[in-house]
Each structure stands twice: as C-alpha cells, then as structure tokens.
Amino acid sequence: MKVKASDYSSADMLPKGLTQVDEFLSKNPTFDGRDTVIAILDTGIDPAAIGMQKTSTGKPKVIDFIDCTGIGDVQMEPAQKCSDKNPLELVGASGRTLKLNPNWKNPSGDWYVGSKPLYSIAPAEVTSELGKERRTLHTEKHKAMQLSIAKQQQQQQQQHGDSDYYSAKIEA
C-alpha cells in the first residue's frame, strides 16, 4: 500500500488539541510568534512550501535564505578595485554597476564579485512561478510592440499609399 501526502491532514502533524495549543491561542490570539525573527541553520528549506508563505498577520515568513550546503556556491571573478573616479562602485559579474555601502571597510581594497542565477538554487515551484510571471510580462510587452508597429504601418500606408513595401504582414 502506497502512502500519499493527502492521506494525512496538517492536524495529524500538528496536534494542537493534544498539546492544548489551540486553547492557548484562542485565549491569546496575538501569542503566535508575530514580530519574532528566528534564524535557522539547516541543509535547506523549501520557501515555496505552503506553511512557509505568510504569518498570521500576512507578512512573509521567510525574510532571507542562504544556502550553506555548497550546492549554491558562486564562482567568483578575479578581485577588482574601485576606480579613483568612482570609489564606491564596482562592475558586477552580470555587467551591472554595483554601489558599495560607504560604511563597509575593506583595507585591501580588493573586491570579489560573482553571480548565480536564482533558478539554479531555488526550488522548482519558485522558478516555475517566476517563469509564468516572466512569460506573462513578455507577452504583454510583445502585444504592445505589435500594436505599436501596426499603428506605425498604418501611418506609413496613409502617408505613402498602399505599396508592397509598407504593407508587409507581421508574423505572430
């Protein structure tokens, strides 16, 4: 017999009745850990898990996560120094300009930067959602560009007549 996750409810895994937590929380509804920050050292968590999403007040439960397993190690670029012209700026591994905090002290002046795509370390559920959002955004931008091109084409046809040059069709 194969056991499925749906065979168990969260009540089976969190026996609030047996431990009288439900009674305690009904008398003290704000004693649920709100405004408490806890750091957990573990081999990894799944920030996409349902129980890790929001607190009782609607705030995100996971503030940040750092992978200490070595799986998400970042390949560092050779050390670089800030220029005299921009003493608080570096060029990141992605090519973007990074602005350094003026309170950071680095006696050697050597800075190491690297990058790692989120999809290479995040759970599949997270990257899947990000992919959906990106596709939606891309589709919206693409449709707006198509509309803009069609309007430009229409203006050109009105100004110059309906020649073959200006009546090329847009392939979707």
Side-chain angles (χ1 to χ4, degrees), residues 19 43 74 97 102 110 116 166:
T19 58
T43 56
V74 176
T97 300
D110 290 337
K116 186 107 182 145
Y166 292 108

Side-chain angles (χ1 to χ4, degrees), residues 9-21:
S9 70
S10 62
D12 295 329
M13 296 179 206
L14 302 169
K16 291 182 179 179
L18 289 172
T19 58
Q20 298 178 341
V21 170

Side-chain angles (χ1 to χ4, degrees), residues 11-65:
D12 295 329
M13 296 179 206
L14 302 169
K16 291 182 179 179
L18 289 172
T19 58
Q20 298 178 341
V21 170
D22 54 352
E23 184 180 329
F24 175 81
L25 286 175
S26 68
K27 292 178 183 175
N28 305 285
T30 62
F31 289 19
D32 58 4
R34 63 186 69 184
D35 299 323
T36 302
V37 176
I38 299 172
I40 299 171
L41 296 178
D42 196 348
T43 56
I45 64 165
D46 181 358
I50 293 171
M52 298 299 292
Q53 298 305 302
K54 295 194 183 288
T55 65
S56 60
T57 58
K59 294 180 182 174
K61 277 192 178 180
V62 177
I63 298 170
D64 191 8
F65 68 95

Side-chain angles (χ1 to χ4, degrees), residues 5 10 17-18 20-21 41 72 84 98 107 138 148 162 170:
S10 62
L18 289 172
Q20 298 178 341
V21 170
L41 296 178
D84 292 335
L98 306 175
H138 172 76
S148 173
D162 193 16
I170 299 172

